[in-house]
Amino acid sequence: MKIICIGRNYAEHAKEMNSEIPTEPIFFMKPDTALLRENNFYYPEFTKDLHHEVELVLKVCKHGKHIDREHAHLYYNEIGLGIDFTARDIQKACKEKGLPWEKAKAFDNSAILGNAFFPVSELQDPIEFSLRKNGDTVQKGSTADLLFSFDQLIVHISKYITIKTGDLIYTGTPEGVGPVQIGDQLEGYIGEHSCFKLDIK
Ligand code: ZN
């Protein structure tokens, strides 16, 4: 199983990062050891600026390579919600040196995944999602604002990498990313459905 994450898939998030709006999807990967499906997350000792990025997550249901646009929707059947935790201080240092991001993005437990998954056919279009920190809404997203649709992501990724059943695709975060502290509680929603509740320890 692999985790593929999309960078800068919402224009407002690219702006808040002072980054260019991409002309094709940007992707990077996290190893299976990044996945955390429990309620407790332990703040890593190597960062002082851990950021939440709430993201819709596609569950891949079919093996494929060089998938065309017309068939792309057949390759994911369920959508859930997760967090792409990012050590922003480390990411910034990597970017400045032109180095890969793995230290900042792919560490253990950096991919939070809620247990709730919804069949694509049951979700209203556009899909609205949000993240609350200690009860306050800090991020709100809608698939109406995606720069690259889920189908476009499947086409692009599968040009380079075979996708397999069970793979997860984190589809990018909307604006409002920000720091978390020990003691915070994060709760993610698709519409009104609570998908995960996470305590930072
Ligand atoms: Zn992300």
Side-chain angles (χ1 to χ4, degrees), residues 98-140:
L99 293 172
W101 290 347
E102 272 78 356
K103 272 200 317 188
K105 286 279 199 183
F107 54 86
D108 285 359
N109 301 334
S110 60
I112 308 303
L113 186 64
N115 287 316
F117 268 85
F118 301 92
V120 175
S121 56
E122 279 181 21
L123 291 167
Q124 278 186 346
D125 186 43
I127 304 167
E128 314 272 347
F129 60 104
S130 61
L131 183 72
R132 293 181 198 168
K133 185 169 87 171
N134 306 324
D136 297 326
T137 300
V138 287
Q139 286 193 270
K140 258 172 104 165

Side-chain angles (χ1 to χ4, degrees), residues 13 28 41 46 48 78 82 84 111 114 121 128 144 154 157 165 198:
H13 171 61
F28 57 93
F41 172 88
F46 49 76
K48 291 189 168 55
E78 289 185 291
D84 162 22
S121 56
E128 314 272 347
I154 297 283
I157 292 164
T165 302
L198 190 73

Side-chain angles (χ1 to χ4, degrees), residues 6 28 53 55 84 105 172-173:
I6 307 300
F28 57 93
E53 295 191 354
E55 311 197 1
D84 162 22
K105 286 279 199 183
T173 194

Side-chain angles (χ1 to χ4, degrees), residues 8 41 61 75 86 111-112 201:
R8 291 183 230 159
F41 172 88
C61 61
Y75 287 79
T86 304
I112 308 303
K201 304 242 167 170

Side-chain angles (χ1 to χ4, degrees), residues 3-200:
I3 301 169
I4 301 163
C5 301
I6 307 300
R8 291 183 230 159
N9 204 13
Y10 293 85
E12 291 302 317
H13 171 61
K15 274 189 209 162
E16 74 180 348
M17 298 298 296
N18 294 315
S19 297
E20 280 174 31
I21 291 173
T23 52
E24 62 170 41
I26 298 169
F27 68 87
F28 57 93
M29 291 171 62
K30 297 188 188 235
D32 57 0
T33 42
L35 194 64
L36 181 70
R37 304 195 71 155
E38 292 166 18
N39 301 328
N40 293 327
F41 172 88
Y42 292 88
Y43 197 104
E45 74 289 353
F46 49 76
T47 177
K48 291 189 168 55
D49 195 22
L50 183 74
H51 276 203
H52 54 75
E53 295 191 354
V54 71
E55 311 197 1
L56 290 169
V57 180
L58 310 182
K59 200 185 264 182
V60 174
C61 61
K62 199 169 150 69
H63 188 114
K65 181 93 199 271
H66 294 305
I67 299 160
D68 59 33
R69 185 73 184 265
E70 186 192 347
H71 297 106
H73 70 280
L74 300 172
Y75 287 79
Y76 58 96
N77 58 356
E78 289 185 291
I79 296 181
L81 194 71
I83 295 177
D84 162 22
F85 267 132
T86 304
R88 197 68 76 196
D89 45 355
I90 296 177
Q91 186 193 31
K92 192 164 172 274
C94 292
K95 277 185 177 174
E96 280 168 7
K97 291 184 183 160
L99 293 172
W101 290 347
E102 272 78 356
K103 272 200 317 188
K105 286 279 199 183
F107 54 86
D108 285 359
N109 301 334
S110 60
I112 308 303
L113 186 64
N115 287 316
F117 268 85
F118 301 92
V120 175
S121 56
E122 279 181 21
L123 291 167
Q124 278 186 346
D125 186 43
I127 304 167
E128 314 272 347
F129 60 104
S130 61
L131 183 72
R132 293 181 198 168
K133 185 169 87 171
N134 306 324
D136 297 326
T137 300
V138 287
Q139 286 193 270
K140 258 172 104 165
S142 166
T143 52
D145 300 322
L146 282 170
L147 293 173
F148 302 102
S149 70
F150 297 158
D151 290 358
Q152 283 175 292
L153 299 179
I154 297 283
V155 170
H156 184 74
I157 292 164
S158 73
K159 259 193 228 175
Y160 304 94
I161 296 176
T162 300
I163 59 169
K164 290 181 167 181
T165 302
D167 288 350
L168 298 169
I169 302 175
Y170 283 60
T171 57
T173 194
E175 70 273 21
V177 301
V180 298
Q181 315 289 348
I182 292 172
D184 284 346
Q185 187 178 68
L186 300 176
E187 197 170 8
Y189 291 84
I190 293 180
E192 294 304 311
H193 300 282
S194 175
C195 296
F196 62 79
K197 200 181 258 187
L198 190 73
D199 290 302
I200 312 295

